[in-house]
Amino acid sequence: FFRPPVTLVSLKLEVYAQKETCSEELNVERLVSKSLQKVVLSSSIGQSVKPNSTNSTKLELIWGSSMYHIDDLPFSCNSLPDVYTQFRKSVESKSKVRSCIKIPTSLGPAPSIKDWGCIPEITVLGLEKAKVSKGLAFVGGESAAVSRVCEYFWTKNLLRTYKETRNGMLGPDYSTKFSPWLASGSLSPRFIYEEVKRFERERESNDSTYWVLFELIWRDYFRFLSIKQGNSIFHAGGPRKVEANWSQNPTLFDAWRNGQTGYPLIDANMKELLTTGFMSNRGRQIVCSFLVRDMNIDWRMGAEWFETCLLDYDPCSNYGNWTYGAGVGNDPREDRYFSIPKQAQNYDPEGEFVAYWLPQLRVLPKEKRHFPGLLYIKPVVALKFGNTKTTNNKTMGSGTRTTADENRWKGRKGNRTQ
Ligand SMILES: Cc1cc2nc3c(=O)[nH]c(=O)nc-3n(C[C@H](O)[C@H](O)[C@H](O)COP(=O)(O)OP(=O)(O)OC[C@H]3O[C@@H](n4cnc5c(N)ncnc54)[C@H](O)[C@@H]3O)c2cc1C
């Protein structure tokens, strides 16, 4: 599936798309380019013209997905720093974010294409519209994306407080919710950068206004890392080739993906993902840690489930974050355990989030909602560090991975995950 952010068939018969970095996407680029060379064109008088080197339709790939342009990095992608902070400090001091290109006043007439096809209604696909009162109703396209930037920054003034609210889990406004538009190419990170800078000039400049850029630099970092690390971001051992004895227990994995683990914080997050295609960053870190640390399940199964469900799925950010979460990413300091009792206490102290997604918990007093005991599903695994609220985030080591598990996985995901 090819999702070019901008695809224009001009009168010169060129197709423009954004340059991708990961192997499956690069393969699609090659296939599209090859197929375009075979496109038979109609001349102005309606005759078929044989494609040749001068008249065949060309695929023009343009770098456009990151905030810092790849050509403006102070190092080549192959010598990218292995630690995020080094990358961030380097680009912040040595590179400049390019301005957005001005929108042309006119693009000329649209090419005459008889049948554009149509996008099927979701009911035709056997799906139903989810009824979610506490979330953002994502609408596709650039206009909706720009409206969201305008709403979040200017109308609601939420950029001022982003750093304090960004770890929330419930509602439309604890974080920007820009990611689905960024992933589909409907929103440029350079546009967000310009709007942040304008906000800082016209309203206020503080830690929160900076923090949106800080997060967008993470996004850039994962994209550039995918060039440096190639397919190793899809491999069990990750870029560091860590040997670990992961399980692929289907019962445990199904409990996780269907939100039936017996831990309301995990189940509520997984139900949100299944229903809406979105999950907060806090939720993603918690369910990832639970899958790999408490369940010891192969992190790639989790990453692939996210790939299936997420509206903002992007191979670089998804597999990049999963490798970090599983402790196989290039920076071992990011190898963290998220204690469910502690996360529940800090980020959902009133049990509002879990009660929203798991209505059966609403009758319980707030302090019982995260550990409802016999009133809820029996936990499918015990927590590594028990149910105490005082457990700190811990760094854990990993064991040795078996060849049998590795072979089973190869069958599912092809070459990319060898
Ligand atoms: C296991 C896991 C998987 C993830 N998979 C994806 C994915 O497939 N696609 C995706 O876009 N993000 C992914 N993320 C990153 C992050 O969770 C989402 O970008 C964020 O939750 C989107 O919500 P938001 O736009 O409101 O973020 P905000 O908090 O408002 O952040 C603003 C923007 O910064 C970027 N950003 C923020 N955090 C991160 C991060 N950790 N890594 C990379 N970029 C970040 C995003 O583009 C985001 O839109 C993943 C994180 C984890 C822990």
Side-chain angles (χ1 to χ4, degrees):
F1 179 52
F2 195 49
R3 262 191 320 198
V6 186
T7 307
L8 298 173
V9 184
S10 78
L11 293 175
K12 278 198 211 146
L13 299 162
E14 288 167 346
V15 173
Y16 291 87
Q18 193 160 272
K19 181 84 192 90
E20 291 294 336
T21 60
C22 293
S23 57
E24 285 182 3
E25 289 70 22
L26 294 180
N27 196 34
V28 174
E29 285 176 1
R30 272 191 293 273
L31 293 174
V32 170
S33 177
K34 227 167 138 191
S35 305
L36 283 174
Q37 284 164 19
K38 294 186 202 137
V39 168
V40 177
L41 312 168
S42 281
S43 73
S44 51
I45 49 165
Q47 287 169 324
S48 280
V49 176
K50 233 181 156 197
N52 59 40
S53 58
T54 49
N55 71 4
S56 70
T57 305
K58 287 200 177 62
L59 177 65
E60 293 283 344
L61 296 166
I62 293 173
W63 187 268
S65 54
S66 56
M67 189 164 83
Y68 288 98
H69 195 285
I70 191 167
D71 295 342
D72 299 338
L73 296 182
F75 25 66
S76 74
C77 280
N78 288 336
S79 0
L80 206 72
D82 280 334
V83 175
Y84 167 73
T85 311
Q86 283 170 16
F87 169 79
R88 178 179 58 78
K89 287 189 173 159
S90 243
V91 291
E92 282 177 337
S93 60
K94 297 185 188 136
S95 307
K96 260 184 91 172
V97 175
R98 294 185 184 186
S99 308
C100 290
I101 293 170
K102 295 267 174 298
I103 300 171
T105 44
S106 157
L107 285 174
S112 67
I113 292 175
K114 274 196 200 106
D115 180 14
W116 285 98
C118 63
I119 299 172
E121 293 291 324
I122 56 167
T123 45
V124 177
L125 302 172
L127 301 167
E128 272 174 43
K129 219 171 177 179
K131 290 188 191 80
V132 180
S133 58
K134 292 204 174 179
L136 193 73
F138 289 105
V139 175
E142 185 180 12
S143 305
V146 171
S147 294
R148 174 61 182 168
V149 176
C150 184
E151 176 188 54
Y152 193 85
F153 285 13
W154 300 100
T155 318
K156 295 188 171 172
N157 215 15
L158 294 166
L159 182 56
R160 274 185 63 241
T161 48
Y162 166 77
K163 192 159 180 249
E164 288 125 57
T165 61
R166 60 178 281 271
N167 279 308
M169 292 187 284
L170 191 59
D173 291 335
Y174 57 80
S175 67
T176 67
K177 307 282 167 76
F178 293 161
S179 56
W181 288 293
L182 281 163
S184 62
S186 310
L187 181 61
S188 160
R190 278 153 57 183
F191 174 72
I192 302 173
Y193 178 88
E194 285 184 357
E195 287 295 285
V196 168
K197 291 291 157 196
R198 186 159 77 87
F199 189 95
E200 289 179 338
R201 279 193 311 274
E202 295 178 14
R203 287 217 182 143
E204 187 173 339
S205 168
N206 62 23
D207 278 1
S208 283
T209 58
Y210 168 67
W211 218 259
V212 168
L213 304 180
F214 178 94
E215 295 299 340
L216 286 172
I217 300 174
W218 263 113
R219 182 175 171 276
D220 275 16
Y221 185 51
F222 282 128
R223 188 154 284 254
F224 296 128
L225 267 184
S226 73
I227 298 174
K228 177 177 180 182
Q229 297 174 336
N231 276 350
S232 71
I233 62 171
F234 306 110
H235 298 172
R240 281 198 297 126
K241 301 188 174 34
V242 176
E243 298 226 326
N245 189 16
W246 301 110
S247 151
Q248 292 185 347
N249 182 317
T251 314
L252 286 185
F253 179 65
D254 281 350
W256 178 80
R257 73 169 158 179
N258 294 323
Q260 307 252 300
T261 66
Y263 293 97
L265 190 57
I266 303 301
D267 297 349
N269 271 296
M270 297 308 291
K271 286 203 187 295
E272 180 185 13
L273 178 66
L274 200 55
T275 315
T276 67
F278 190 83
M279 190 194 289
S280 66
N281 184 54
R282 178 60 38 186
R284 294 180 204 202
Q285 294 180 88
I286 297 170
V287 302
C288 164
S289 164
F290 180 79
L291 184 82
V292 302
R293 319 264 176 220
D294 293 307
M295 287 183 144
N296 193 38
I297 299 281
D298 190 330
W299 67 268
R300 294 168 301 171
M301 295 168 77
E304 198 170 291
W305 182 243
F306 270 34
E307 176 173 347
T308 308
C309 299
L310 280 175
L311 286 178
D312 63 23
Y313 169 68
D314 151 36
C316 317
S317 288
N318 189 52
Y319 284 85
N321 274 290
W322 272 96
T323 54
Y324 271 52
V328 301
N330 56 331
D331 185 352
R333 287 176 303 177
E334 292 289 329
D335 188 4
R336 286 190 298 160
Y337 177 78
F338 286 77
S339 147
I340 292 183
K342 189 166 180 257
Q343 296 292 316
Q345 191 181 39
N346 289 350
Y347 301 105
D348 189 31
E350 307 282 293
E352 253 187 285
F353 173 72
V354 290
Y356 179 77
W357 286 104
L358 307 167
Q360 64 270 44
L361 301 179
R362 287 180 201 162
V363 293
L364 295 179
K366 290 172 181 172
E367 63 281 3
K368 283 217 150 159
R369 287 177 177 171
H370 282 282
F371 290 94
L374 295 176
L375 297 167
Y376 188 61
I377 310 165
K378 189 168 176 272
V380 291
V381 288
L383 297 180
K384 277 250 147 67
F385 296 103
N387 284 359
T388 90
K389 283 189 185 147
T390 49
T391 314
N392 283 321
N393 287 341
K394 293 190 173 145
T395 300
M396 293 170 54
S398 321
T400 320
R401 185 172 165 67
T402 66
T403 320
D405 276 351
E406 185 67 51
N407 287 340
R408 229 174 317 155
W409 186 261
K410 275 183 196 169
R412 288 174 56 127
K413 194 62 179 140
N415 291 338
R416 197 146 104 158
T417 41
Q418 278 168 26

